[in-house]
């Protein structure tokens, strides 16, 4: 999926606090990997995005714009545009927006200990659609 503009439909979320806007850009099979989802999240002032260790996912959070703070067992640290946050599967943390809000890109994936036990996910075209440019290894044997 390619997103060419920001005015696509989005879901509004409120979980015990200020409202946030969430848009799923791609999920599971669309990514041909062990990624769960690729999302765009907009947090207004004081809204939070929580990474819950019970969901079993790792997350990469990229701050595209705005400012906020990371809250975890080590305390509170500032976040700003260009920051990349790596959240391991077992980490409990929250990202909270400050006055100007936060625009986030979030990639969620299965942890390495799960991925290594799964068969490789390789996209494959049906034989009738293959061309000399793309020919799978199994078709050549």
């Amino acid at each position: 999926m390619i997103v060419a503009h920001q005015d696509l439909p989005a879901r509004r979320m409120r979980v015990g606090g200020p409202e946030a806007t969430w848009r799923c850009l791609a999920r599971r099979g669309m990514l041909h990997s062990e990624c769960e989802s690729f999302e765009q999240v907009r947090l207004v002032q004081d809204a939070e995005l929580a990474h819950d260790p019970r969901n079993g996912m790792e997350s990469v959070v990229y701050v595209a714009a705005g400012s906020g703070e990371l809250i975890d067992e080590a305390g509170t640290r500032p976040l700003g545009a260009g920051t990349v946050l790596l959240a391991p599967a077992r980490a409990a943390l929250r990202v909270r927006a400050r006055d100007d809000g936060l625009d986030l890109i979030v990639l969620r994936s299965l942890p390495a200990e799960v991925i290594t036990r799964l068969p490789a996910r390789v996209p494959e075209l049906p034989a009738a659609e293959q061309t000399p440019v793309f020919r799978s290894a199994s078709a050549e044997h």
Side-chain angles (χ1 to χ4, degrees):
M1 170 183 269
I2 298 173
V3 177
H5 48 84
Q6 294 184 17
D7 58 343
L8 297 172
R11 288 188 169 171
R12 298 199 181 281
M13 308 178 302
R14 183 176 298 191
V15 184
E19 191 173 84
T21 304
W22 167 84
R23 177 180 299 121
C24 182
L25 303 175
R27 291 188 68 77
R28 296 182 194 123
M30 296 165 66
L31 299 169
H32 296 290
S33 71
E34 302 313 325
C35 294
E36 172 66 18
S37 63
F38 185 58
E39 307 162 343
Q40 177 187 16
V41 178
R42 170 70 180 153
L43 301 177
V44 298
Q45 181 181 359
D46 296 326
E48 293 184 351
L49 175 70
H51 178 81
D52 188 340
R54 294 176 296 179
N55 72 17
M57 292 287 155
E58 293 183 340
S59 294
V60 177
V61 179
Y62 173 73
V63 179
S67 64
E69 53 195 15
L70 166 66
I71 305 160
D72 64 7
E73 71 279 348
T76 302
R77 294 180 298 280
L79 296 174
T83 301
V84 175
L85 170 65
L86 304 175
R90 290 174 179 64
L93 56 88
R94 295 175 291 143
V95 172
R96 179 185 303 140
R98 290 192 180 145
D99 298 346
D100 52 348
L102 273 172
D103 287 316
L104 307 170
I105 301 295
V106 181
L107 177 68
R108 299 180 198 274
S109 178
L110 295 170
E113 64 262 17
V114 173
I115 291 173
T116 57
R117 294 181 176 169
L118 296 174
R121 250 183 159 180
V122 180
E124 187 160 330
L125 288 172
E129 295 178 30
Q130 293 181 15
T131 67
V133 174
F134 174 86
R135 180 122 17 243
S136 69
S138 61
E140 294 176 4
H141 294 120

